Amino acid sequence: MMLRYTLTHRPTLSALASLGHGSKVLVADGNYPFATAMNPRAELVHLNWRPGLLDVDEVLTTLLDAVPFDAATVMTPPPDAPVAAHDGYRRILGPDVPLGTLDRFAFYDAVRAPETGLVIATGDQRSHANLLLEVGFVAAR
């Protein structure tokens, strides 16, 4: 095995290879409106084999092994409805990747923007489990 990371899914690797610093990657839950709320030029990769498989946490953990991220954004939950997924994202991303929030329609607009080059559909059944990631850079060696 020549790869230094665990990501081996060819369509995802191909899409990531076409992105650069500042590009965006959406890892979406199973409720996300893919047909109406994404950049039409973005690559859509389906990893939603069935409800509950794969979830956003599993995809995020694998992506972090292969790609640096500068920032992340989640969809603001309804009032008095904390989203457990968001706490998990903070833990997985660690202290160096800030986690911001956008209301639902601003989040959709951000995903529709030209910077979004990859959208990954998961089978995550949690509400508001969508995560928009901003690709970082790899320092010269």
Side-chain angles (χ1 to χ4, degrees):
M1 188 79 163
M2 293 179 51
L3 298 176
R4 294 184 178 182
Y5 43 83
T6 59
L7 178 61
T8 59
H9 187 255
R10 188 172 178 180
T12 303
L13 283 168
S14 177
L16 287 170
S18 70
L19 303 180
H21 184 230
S23 296
K24 304 280 178 88
V25 175
L26 172 67
V27 185
D29 66 33
N31 297 304
Y32 196 82
F34 301 103
T36 59
M38 65 175 265
N39 174 3
R41 294 181 54 207
E43 185 74 30
L44 176 58
V45 173
H46 292 277
L47 297 180
N48 49 347
W49 283 42
R50 64 171 170 79
L53 183 73
L54 298 163
D55 68 22
V56 175
D57 295 32
E58 292 168 310
V59 174
L60 173 60
T61 301
T62 303
L63 288 175
L64 283 171
D65 188 43
V67 179
F69 293 106
D70 283 343
T73 305
V74 293
M75 191 181 293
T76 305
D80 300 323
V83 178
H86 296 178
D87 293 334
Y89 301 157
R90 284 183 190 89
R91 183 180 37 73
I92 295 167
L93 290 166
D96 296 333
V97 181
L99 185 67
T101 61
L102 290 172
D103 72 50
R104 186 174 110 187
F105 295 107
F107 189 91
Y108 291 157
D109 288 342
V111 177
R112 287 185 187 108
E115 294 79 26
T116 303
L118 172 59
V119 174
I120 301 173
T122 73
D124 203 322
Q125 295 181 291
R126 298 174 295 179
S127 176
H128 293 80
N130 304 299
L131 181 64
L132 185 61
L133 300 161
E134 181 178 325
V135 176
F137 69 96
V138 177
R141 292 182 183 207

